[in-house]
Amino acid sequence: IGFSFDVPAIVTDVGGLPETVLNKKTGYVVKPCDSEKIAEAIINFYKKNMYKEFVKNIRRDRRRFTWSNYLRILERLL
């Protein structure tokens, strides 16, 4: 949902989250249960002014999450 509104994400490396967020391209993926790494990612995001770069990459990458792409993948499985 965030990507559809051009919002970068900071996620932990659990479940399907790392498959969605491309580390250092559309957001940050950090170790779970590591508050220091989460804080470091937030600080890096603002200090390095990554918003514009991440949004550019999100706009390029979000095609993966369209319904037409999802259907194309399902059709290949059939």
Side-chain angles (χ1 to χ4, degrees), residues 1-8 51 54-55 58-59 62:
I1 293 172
F3 285 174
S4 63
F5 292 101
D6 296 336
V7 177
Y51 180 78
F54 284 177
V55 168
I58 288 168
R59 289 178 179 165
R62 72 174 156 213

Side-chain angles (χ1 to χ4, degrees), residues 3-70:
F3 285 174
S4 63
F5 292 101
D6 296 336
V7 177
I10 297 173
V11 301
T12 56
D13 191 4
V14 297
L17 294 173
E19 296 170 8
T20 305
V21 177
L22 303 176
N23 192 36
K24 298 179 182 175
K25 293 184 188 280
T26 61
Y28 291 106
V29 180
V30 297
K31 285 191 220 176
C33 302
D34 191 339
S35 57
E36 288 182 25
K37 291 293 182 186
I38 294 169
E40 186 179 298
I42 294 168
I43 291 167
N44 280 335
F45 177 78
Y46 287 105
K47 274 191 173 180
K48 295 180 180 181
N49 198 22
M50 297 302 293
Y51 180 78
K52 287 181 183 179
E53 181 70 23
F54 284 177
V55 168
K56 180 181 77 171
N57 293 330
I58 288 168
R59 289 178 179 165
R60 195 176 319 140
D61 184 58
R62 72 174 156 213
R63 287 178 233 140
R64 292 188 298 148
F65 307 108
T66 63
W67 281 107
S68 59
N69 189 50
Y70 179 68

